[in-house]
Amino acid sequence: MRGILERLRGWEGLLLAILIVVVIFNAVSTPHYLRLQNQINLFQLHIEKIIVALIMTFVIINGEIDLTVGSVMGLAGCVMAYLSEKGVPFEVCLLAGLLTGVLAGTINGFMVSYVGLTSLIVTLAGLIGYRGLARVLLENRSIGNFPEWFNRLGQQPLVGPVPLALIIFFILLIAALIILQWSGVGRLIYVIGNNREVARYSGVNVRRVKMTLFVVSGFIAALSGLLLAARLGSMRGDTATGTELEVITMVLMGGVSIFGGAGSMLGVLLSILIILNLRNGMGLLNITGEIQTGVIGILLILSVLVPNIWRGVKEARSRHRVKRAHVED
């Protein structure tokens, strides 16, 4: 609890203040905003993105980036839909979709961890390659006709008014908080993100940690792709295009350093809530999707620029205090 309070005095506190302002503005602007169903819709319409944002937080804090998450979401769903159309048992189709994500993550992780290529180049190539494969599988078609039970899981509540995907998100959020903030694995992720060479000389198996993160990232992206297929009831080769940019925006705006080694899951959660509430508020005010996308683009720029300025100011103040203390002594 003390650690959370300490963070709320910094960047996370500013995010909390922004969130409160956005919520108040939305509540005043439209009478429908505070209704329970709208609050659930606020999450449900973007649930797949915020699930992926959890694992992206780990990857970026570790000093890497995964631009393939949107393409892997689309490819996993397309593999599932393609096999289903061919008459393969649907349970096997779901497993194949998940394994597609694991394979993509393994390829990304191997190229970064063992071949030594930068994750930006590897995952940019993967973004294009995996999306191309999805388009090859489905061409310009939209494939649906999934089993009714599968569609219900994505489109109808599971427990009370809460859908399955939202339950999965909260379970993964709790797990992510525990692992990243209060476990030895989380400390290793931060240490490697700060300085991989120091971590390596300290006996940390840097390759294994990075490999594991990319494999898990591929799996979570594939899971999100299947949840998206269930919610939409169909898949196309271009499904989830551009998802990676909004996911990265959520993470960076949460105060996670693009260079790795800094950030918290609390900040990312607050960032997620800000973006979801902004999108929901703009939707209720009938603001077009193009303008919403433009707003998210501006947030992406600010999410890189402002936290770095914030950290620079804090470091400057810290140096000033140290210098002042030496002068007084």
Side-chain angles (χ1 to χ4, degrees):
M1 181 60 71
R2 182 180 300 174
I4 293 176
L5 293 176
E6 285 293 328
R7 287 193 174 277
L8 287 177
R9 295 193 183 103
W11 179 252
E12 288 84 352
L14 178 60
L15 290 176
L16 179 59
I18 293 172
L19 176 61
I20 292 171
V21 170
V22 171
V23 169
I24 292 174
F25 177 82
N26 286 349
V28 172
S29 300
T30 171
H32 306 295
Y33 170 73
L34 292 177
R35 292 181 180 176
L36 177 60
Q37 190 56 52
N38 181 64
Q39 293 301 306
I40 292 174
N41 290 340
L42 179 149
F43 284 93
Q44 190 170 9
L45 294 176
H46 304 280
I47 189 66
E48 301 84 16
K49 297 174 187 176
I50 65 177
I51 288 175
V52 175
L54 299 179
I55 184 61
M56 185 68 78
T57 302
F58 284 73
V59 173
I60 296 181
I61 288 177
N62 194 237
E64 306 295 348
I65 197 164
D66 189 353
L67 298 175
T68 67
V69 288
S71 297
V72 171
M73 285 173 64
L75 179 58
C78 287
V79 167
M80 179 271 294
Y82 177 81
L83 294 177
S84 177
E85 185 184 46
K86 297 300 181 183
V88 177
F90 197 71
E91 291 76 11
V92 177
C93 298
L94 293 176
L95 179 60
L98 293 175
L99 290 177
T100 297
V102 172
L103 177 60
T106 300
I107 293 171
N108 293 341
F110 179 79
M111 298 301 289
V112 172
S113 304
Y114 293 93
V115 178
L117 300 178
T118 62
S119 58
L120 178 63
I121 299 301
V122 170
T123 59
L124 180 60
L127 180 154
I128 299 170
Y130 301 144
R131 179 63 64 189
L133 183 55
R135 291 180 181 274
V136 167
L137 283 175
L138 300 194
E139 298 174 342
N140 293 321
R141 298 176 300 142
S142 175
I143 295 181
N145 296 321
F146 303 138
E148 184 60 31
W149 64 265
F150 180 69
N151 290 334
R152 282 201 305 271
L153 286 177
Q155 300 166 11
Q156 296 181 14
L158 183 66
V159 178
V162 182
L164 172 64
L166 189 54
I167 295 173
I168 291 175
F169 167 72
F170 282 117
I171 292 173
L172 292 177
L173 174 62
I174 293 170
L177 278 167
I178 293 172
I179 293 171
L180 189 60
Q181 308 298 154
W182 295 297
S183 77
V185 173
R187 287 191 289 274
L188 289 182
I189 291 171
Y190 278 103
V191 168
I192 295 171
N194 273 308
N195 193 316
R196 71 174 69 186
E197 293 304 319
V198 170
R200 184 178 289 112
Y201 289 133
S202 300
V204 178
N205 193 330
V206 175
R207 287 178 172 177
R208 184 170 63 189
V209 172
K210 289 186 179 294
M211 183 76 179
T212 301
L213 286 178
F214 276 106
V215 172
V216 175
S217 180
F219 174 80
I220 295 296
L223 174 63
S224 298
L226 298 182
L227 292 172
L228 180 60
R231 181 165 66 85
L232 298 178
S234 64
M235 283 298 297
R236 290 176 51 88
D238 59 354
T239 301
T241 297
T243 296
E244 58 281 335
L245 296 181
E246 193 158 351
V247 168
I248 292 170
T249 300
M250 291 174 180
V251 176
L252 298 184
M253 198 174 89
V256 175
S257 172
I258 189 64
F259 303 108
S264 71
M265 192 58 68
L266 174 61
V268 173
L269 176 60
L270 291 169
S271 173
I272 287 171
L273 293 174
I274 290 171
I275 291 177
L276 293 187
N277 279 278
L278 276 175
R279 276 198 173 276
N280 184 255
M282 288 188 289
L284 291 174
L285 293 173
N286 296 319
I287 295 176
T288 64
E290 290 79 6
I291 295 178
Q292 293 184 34
T293 301
V295 171
I296 297 303
I298 293 172
L299 287 176
L300 178 57
I301 296 172
L302 294 177
S303 65
V304 176
L305 182 63
V306 177
N308 287 328
I309 294 175
W310 180 275
R311 278 190 287 269
V313 170
K314 287 181 65 178
E315 290 173 2
R317 287 179 176 175
S318 178
R319 287 195 298 269
H320 178 71
R321 283 196 296 268
V322 171
K323 184 184 294 185
R324 187 174 179 180
H326 282 307
V327 171
E328 291 176 353
D329 290 341

